Amino acid sequence: MDYIHHNATRISSQSRRALRYPAEHLTASLAQSVNDLEKRRGETLKVKGESELARKYFGNLVRESSEGKRGVESVDLESVGPGVAGGYEEGELVGSRL
């Protein structure tokens, strides 16, 4: 009986020793993978924040440029503007004393 108990203890200790290295390696690999994923997540969140800020900036830029375009297009270049005294008659500016 003592032989069986001693032999079982020897086999179990050798088995634990043989399996310890893969378990430690697996634990270290998983920890490294978790660290890598955490780093990638942080970088992704940073890019997401920068992208959201850029989207707002360029959205405002498009809106402001559209307003400016409408303002420029609303200017009537064919009519006589304010400040021109009387307009033109027969090639001369009315009201001029040349």
Side-chain angles (χ1 to χ4, degrees):
M1 201 47 140
D2 192 36
Y3 172 75
I4 295 171
H5 181 67
H6 179 68
N7 200 25
T9 304
R10 182 185 58 82
I11 291 171
S12 66
S13 68
Q14 287 178 351
S15 298
R16 269 190 247 114
R17 191 177 321 128
L19 295 175
R20 187 178 312 137
Y21 174 74
E24 290 173 355
H25 181 68
L26 179 64
T27 303
S29 295
L30 287 174
Q32 183 63 38
S33 295
V34 167
N35 290 339
D36 291 344
L37 287 174
E38 189 68 31
K39 183 179 176 183
R40 281 184 34 208
R41 181 177 184 270
E43 291 171 356
T44 302
L45 290 176
K46 180 182 173 188
V47 169
K48 180 182 176 186
E50 291 171 351
S51 298
E52 184 67 24
L53 185 64
R55 185 192 63 81
K56 288 178 183 178
Y57 172 78
F58 287 110
N60 289 336
L61 187 63
V62 166
R63 182 181 48 79
E64 291 171 3
S65 65
S66 295
E67 291 171 359
K69 180 182 176 185
R70 278 193 297 275
V72 169
E73 288 175 344
S74 69
V75 173
D76 185 11
L77 298 175
E78 299 297 322
S79 67
V80 176
V84 178
Y88 286 98
E89 285 183 12
E90 296 182 29
E92 291 184 19
L93 182 61
V94 175
S96 68
R97 306 275 186 229
L98 294 175

